[in-house]
């Protein structure tokens, strides 16, 4: 079945460091790909998404490119801030079969940014 | 600023008791999802509604869990009887449902359930 694998955390960085969180997926068909962020004590919020191959999603300085050839959707940010400390989830939504619209999540990567 | 609301935010109960969690989706959204989050399993889909009709509840233990949408403004998730292994954070999410697999889902703040 469809699945998402993202790098294990926690990730600890200093402010202004470069961030990469790796995400790869397995899916039938052509899924849409998402990054959601969860701040402490809150629900998940959409950070960015890409709905077809080679699309780049971007928001708040974060970027991710949908790479079909490597089945990847790595999250990057050039300069992290303390306020970026949160748990980041990679997810896919299949366009195939009865599970259309369901989000399948990775395990999450906790990011801590130190001043 | 439209948001998904969930009640209660926290619930502590004893094993065997009935638990009901409520969700108000964003007005105009026609898809509703229930997820469970635990440290061990991460985020798991429990149930999925479109236009108030259940489309997928394969992730839900049928013997004790039930999910309904009595009307377009209310979704409920019920556990009867509750067990300690049900302790988790339960999230509700809603979406416009215009194009299933590209839709953004909007999450509520969650209900933290502790079953003693």
């Amino acid at each position: 079945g469809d699945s998402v694998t993202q790098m294990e955390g926690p990730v600890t960085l200093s402010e202004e460091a470069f961030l990469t969180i790796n995400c790869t997926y397995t899916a039938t068909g052509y899924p849409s790909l998402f990054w959601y962020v969860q701040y402490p004590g809150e629900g998940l919020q959409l950070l960015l998404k890409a709905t077809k191959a080679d699309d780049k999603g971007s928001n708040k300085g974060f970027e991710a490119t949908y790479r079909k050839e490597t089945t990847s959707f790595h999250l990057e940010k050039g300069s992290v801030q303390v306020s970026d400390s949160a748990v980041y989830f990679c997810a896919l939504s299949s366009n195939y079969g009865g599970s259309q619209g369901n989000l399948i999540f990775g395990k999450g990567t906790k990011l801590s940014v130190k001043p | 600023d439209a948001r998904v609301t969930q009640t209660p935010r926290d619930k502590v109960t004893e094993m065997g008791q009935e638990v009901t969690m409520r969700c108000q989706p964003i007005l105009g959204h026609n898809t509703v999802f229930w997820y469970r989050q635990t440290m061990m399993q991460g985020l798991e889909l429990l149930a999925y509604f479109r236009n108030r009709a259940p489309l997928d509840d394969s992730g839900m233990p049928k013997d004790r869990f039930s999910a309904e949408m009595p009307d377009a403004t209310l979704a409920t998730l019920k556990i009867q009887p509750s067990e300690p292994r049900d302790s988790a954070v339960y999230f509700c999410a809603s979406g416009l449902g215009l194009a299933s697999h590209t839709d953004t889902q909007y999450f509520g703040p969650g209900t933290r359930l502790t079953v003693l």
Side-chain angles (χ1 to χ4, degrees):
Chain A
D2 297 351
S3 65
V4 174
T5 303
Q6 61 182 103
M7 62 188 286
E8 297 278 335
V11 173
T12 302
L13 296 174
S14 297
E15 207 164 23
E16 299 184 3
F18 184 86
L19 168 72
T20 300
I21 301 178
N22 290 337
C23 171
T24 56
Y25 67 90
T26 302
T28 303
Y30 302 92
S32 293
L33 302 173
F34 303 79
W35 278 101
Y36 279 82
V37 59
Q38 184 177 29
Y39 297 101
E42 298 184 11
L44 282 71
Q45 305 172 24
L46 178 71
L47 182 59
L48 53 84
K49 69 179 183 182
T51 59
K52 60 183 186 295
D54 299 325
D55 270 1
K56 178 187 284 188
S58 61
N59 186 25
K60 299 180 182 178
F62 291 89
E63 294 183 340
T65 301
Y66 188 160
R67 302 283 188 202
K68 188 164 177 61
E69 64 275 15
T70 54
T71 62
S72 65
F73 193 54
H74 304 321
L75 182 68
E76 296 183 336
K77 186 175 186 181
S79 176
V80 294
Q81 305 300 312
V82 173
S83 57
D84 294 326
S85 298
V87 181
Y88 293 81
F89 291 91
C90 185
L92 72 81
S93 180
S94 175
N95 71 330
Y96 179 83
S99 61
Q100 286 188 50
N102 297 353
L103 281 173
I104 296 171
F105 287 92
K107 294 288 189 183
T109 302
K110 183 175 183 178
L111 170 66
S112 296
V113 180
K114 306 297 185 187
Chain B
D1 186 21
R3 297 185 183 208
V4 175
T5 58
Q6 290 185 247
T7 56
R9 291 294 307 274
D10 282 282
K11 176 72 175 179
V12 180
T13 191
E14 293 189 346
M15 184 172 63
Q17 296 298 305
E18 178 178 298
V19 175
T20 299
M21 290 169 269
R22 293 176 174 81
C23 166
Q24 182 172 15
I26 292 172
L27 191 64
H29 283 190
N30 68 2
T31 54
V32 173
F33 304 82
W34 283 103
Y35 293 92
R36 176 170 61 186
Q37 185 179 38
T38 61
M39 290 293 293
M40 292 300 295
Q41 300 297 325
L43 278 156
E44 305 171 281
L45 178 72
L46 296 175
Y48 169 20
F49 290 79
R50 176 183 288 275
N51 294 323
R52 297 175 54 202
L55 285 194
D56 183 357
D57 60 2
S58 58
M60 205 163 62
K62 302 292 191 306
D63 56 337
R64 298 184 300 108
F65 284 60
S66 61
E68 297 179 342
M69 282 200 72
D71 61 60
T73 64
L74 177 65
T76 61
L77 180 66
K78 190 173 296 186
I79 308 174
Q80 168 63 20
S82 58
E83 297 181 2
R85 59 181 167 149
D86 301 329
S87 298
V89 181
Y90 291 80
F91 288 104
C92 175
S94 70
L96 281 169
L98 296 177
S100 300
H101 74 289
T102 63
D103 278 353
T104 297
Q105 292 184 23
Y106 296 83
F107 282 74
T111 294
R112 181 177 297 278
L113 174 65
T114 303
V115 183
L116 303 175

